[in-house]
Structure formats: structure tokens, C-alpha cells
Amino acid sequence: MARLQLKNLHAKVAEGGEKILDGVDLEVSSGEIHALMGPNGSGKSTTAKVIAGHPAYEVTEGEVLVHLDEDEFEGMTIPEEKRIWNLLDLEPNERAAVGVFLGFQYPVEIEGVTMVNFLRTALNAKLEERDDLFEEGEEAETEEEAEDSGYDTSPMEGNADEGDVGVAEFQELMAEKMDQLDMDTTFAQRYLNAGFSGGEKKQNEVLQAAILEPSIAVLDEIDSGLDIDRLQDVSKGINALRDEQGAGILQITHYQRILDYVEPDHVHVMLDGKIATSGGPELAERLENEGYDWVREEAYETA
């Protein structure tokens, strides 16, 4: 179990200094689904990128904390002094290692890197970084162990001897996750997002989260550009992240339609860089019917 906590978070564009976030307070726990909504330019995507450590933004005030609420974390015992992490002190790869995942709004295409090779490399890198952070499994590799003996399998799949998760084990894991997401297994050998439709790219983002098994997944407008069939597939994957893996979900979206399939426990509306109001699923339905003007009026009446 983990809890992501944003406390009075302020941030600006690193180059130019435009202020974007103006005191965001938000908590997301494992097993919960939160929807973050708001008009364009309100700070939703900036919030996601700041959580992940995007270098385009500079945090000027506040904290982004991850609380590891139980003694056990991903099957390992964590010391008492390492149960609270300030993400602002960590590099992006270290943030991933303590259980945070960011699903991109615009996933990049990488020619020449197969999905299976990319995902196995990412998983092994996360496990190695996690061990370093929690001071477990830090036994130095011997020179013999570190030596690369070359490809035991196809170069499309990477070196079999690299990392904690070998090729055969990973292929089994990936096939299981792709089956859960109703993905064609031939995708595993395609280059990362290259030639993928918009829906396939978003489905691939959910597949990455399913394999990396984060405690908290931040999904930035993962529903944009999806037709109804792909929306249902992606929604099925998001629900599986919560129901089968226990992840907490921060779902950034403009629209009610994905929330018809991924029912949130909490809905938050962001205006002008801060959370203006929060509520249950009924809040998203009211936004769908009435827009954001009433939120703005109520927020500035009470300001």
C-alpha cells in the first residue's frame, strides 16, 4: 500500500517562469481511482509532469510525498526510515522505483526498439533501482557475472543474461498481461509505438503500467483519441490495475465518457493551478451537463 500526497504544490515553467501550479493539495492511495478534471490550461498535465519529475517545470514551493504505509513493499521489507519519500528529492527513474508511473498523453515512437525489449529493460531497470534505494540486493556483481555473454536469444528480445527477469520469464509475463488487455501478441515484436494507431498507443501505456506494477499510476488524458471499442479495452486495463494489482489511479481527463467505464472514487476539478472543488462521481456528471462556469463562480465567491 502506498499514498501519494501533494502538499501546497507550486510550480512554474523552468524557462520563462510562467506560474502554472498555485497550491495543489491532493491525496491518492493504492486501490483508489481519482479523476482530475478541468478546462484546458488549468494545470492538470503540469501536475502529472511535476509528479514524474519533468525537467520543463520547476517546483517553487510545496512537497510531493509517497508514503509506503506497510512494512512490506513489493515483497521486500522496508526500513522504518524509508517509508516516506519526497519525490522532489528523487530523479525520475527513482520515482518510478518507489512505485510511481506516468502514462503519457502523447506516447513517443521509437524505431528499432521492440516492445518486448523495451518493456523487459524497463522492468529490470526499475527492480535494480528499487534494490539500490532500499539497500537490498546491493551485492556487487562479480566481473564474471557482469560480463555480457551475448545474445542467447533473438537480438529483438535483448540479452537473456541481463537483469533479474530473464527473457523466458518476461515473455510469459508479457503474454499474460497482453491477454488481460485483449492485445494481439504480435505487438510484442513491433517497434515501440511505431505505426501504432492512437488507441494502440494508449493501450500500450496501460500495458506498460500492468508490467511495471506501480503503486500509483498517473494517466494523462489516456482517453483522448480513442474510439468506443478501444476506450473499453483501455478502461478494462485501468480497472485491472486497481482491482488485480491494487494500484491507485490518478486519471486526468476532460470527459465523462471514460468515467462510465472507470468509475472514480473521487473527482477533483482544477482551476487556475489549484483544486477548486472535489466530490464523488456525480461531480463529473454535473460537469458534463453544465460545464465549468458554476465551479468558477463558486470558487471565486468563496475566495
Side-chain angles (χ1 to χ4, degrees):
M1 292 286 291
R3 178 165 51 96
L4 173 69
Q5 182 181 31
L6 279 58
K7 298 175 66 176
N8 192 33
L9 185 63
H10 292 68
K12 65 179 183 179
V13 177
E15 293 187 7
E18 180 186 1
K19 185 176 183 179
I20 305 294
L21 302 185
D22 189 26
V24 180
D25 293 293
L26 183 65
E27 290 190 19
V28 180
S29 295
S30 298
E32 296 179 345
I33 294 180
H34 291 242
L36 182 61
M37 308 182 75
N40 288 329
S42 58
K44 305 184 300 299
S45 291
T46 297
T47 299
K49 291 174 181 175
V50 167
I51 292 170
H54 197 293
Y57 300 95
E58 178 183 338
V59 173
T60 56
E61 188 176 347
E63 295 178 304
V64 182
L65 305 176
V66 167
H67 301 260
L68 303 176
D69 294 333
E70 297 182 355
D71 293 350
E72 295 290 327
F73 174 67
E74 296 184 353
M76 62 195 307
T77 302
I78 54 175
E80 179 75 28
E81 68 276 13
K82 295 199 172 186
R83 293 177 188 170
I84 300 178
W85 296 84
N86 188 344
L87 296 188
L88 303 181
D89 296 332
L90 302 179
E91 296 296 326
N93 55 306
E94 294 172 323
R95 300 180 193 206
V98 298
V100 176
F101 175 87
L102 172 63
F104 290 106
Q105 183 177 0
Y106 303 109
V108 297
E109 298 184 9
I110 304 179
E111 291 279 3
V113 177
T114 60
M115 281 182 51
V116 64
N117 199 6
F118 169 80
L119 290 172
R120 190 170 77 89
T121 300
L123 177 58
N124 278 327
K126 176 197 169 184
L127 295 176
E128 182 179 358
E129 191 69 59
R130 185 200 65 177
D131 287 347
D132 288 345
L133 285 174
F134 291 96
E135 296 183 344
E136 288 192 18
E138 287 190 287
E139 295 179 6
E141 287 184 314
T142 65
E143 185 174 342
E144 181 178 353
E145 288 172 336
E147 184 178 356
D148 180 3
S149 59
Y151 291 108
D152 290 342
T153 60
S154 164
M156 301 284 279
E157 299 170 342
N159 292 340
D161 59 332
E162 289 183 344
D164 291 340
V165 183
V167 168
E169 180 183 0
F170 183 77
Q171 287 178 329
E172 183 176 342
L173 172 67
M174 189 167 182
E176 173 191 339
K177 301 298 184 183
M178 295 182 83
D179 181 62
Q180 288 178 357
L181 297 174
D182 292 330
M183 294 184 72
D184 187 332
T185 54
T186 60
F187 276 53
Q189 298 301 331
R190 291 175 62 181
Y191 293 144
L192 183 65
N193 289 323
F196 283 26
S197 69
E200 290 168 343
K201 289 179 180 177
K202 299 303 180 68
Q203 201 169 17
N204 192 26
E205 293 294 288
V206 177
L207 173 64
Q208 291 179 41
I211 287 174
L212 295 174
E213 297 190 347
S215 300
I216 305 291
V218 181
L219 305 176
D220 188 7
E221 297 192 32
I222 202 162
D223 53 334
S224 64
L226 300 184
D227 61 32
I228 189 64
D229 290 334
R230 197 65 70 178
L231 179 66
Q232 291 177 351
D233 290 339
V234 168
S235 298
K236 180 181 177 183
I238 296 172
N239 285 323
L241 289 178
R242 191 266 302 270
D243 298 337
E244 298 177 20
Q245 297 183 184
I249 309 293
L250 179 59
Q251 172 70 61
I252 296 172
T253 184
H254 277 288
Y255 305 109
Q256 164 67 30
R257 62 174 193 157
I258 192 171
L259 304 182
D260 290 336
Y261 302 100
V262 181
E263 183 174 356
D265 301 293
H266 306 276
V267 175
H268 312 278
V269 181
M270 178 169 265
L271 291 178
D272 302 325
K274 64 177 67 175
I275 303 295
T277 189
S278 298
E282 72 284 351
L283 177 55
E285 295 174 3
R286 185 175 178 186
L287 294 172
E288 183 77 5
N289 294 326
E290 302 180 32
Y292 293 106
D293 286 347
W294 66 273
V295 180
R296 191 177 300 278
E297 290 172 3
E298 289 186 3
Y300 287 104
E301 280 179 3
T302 57

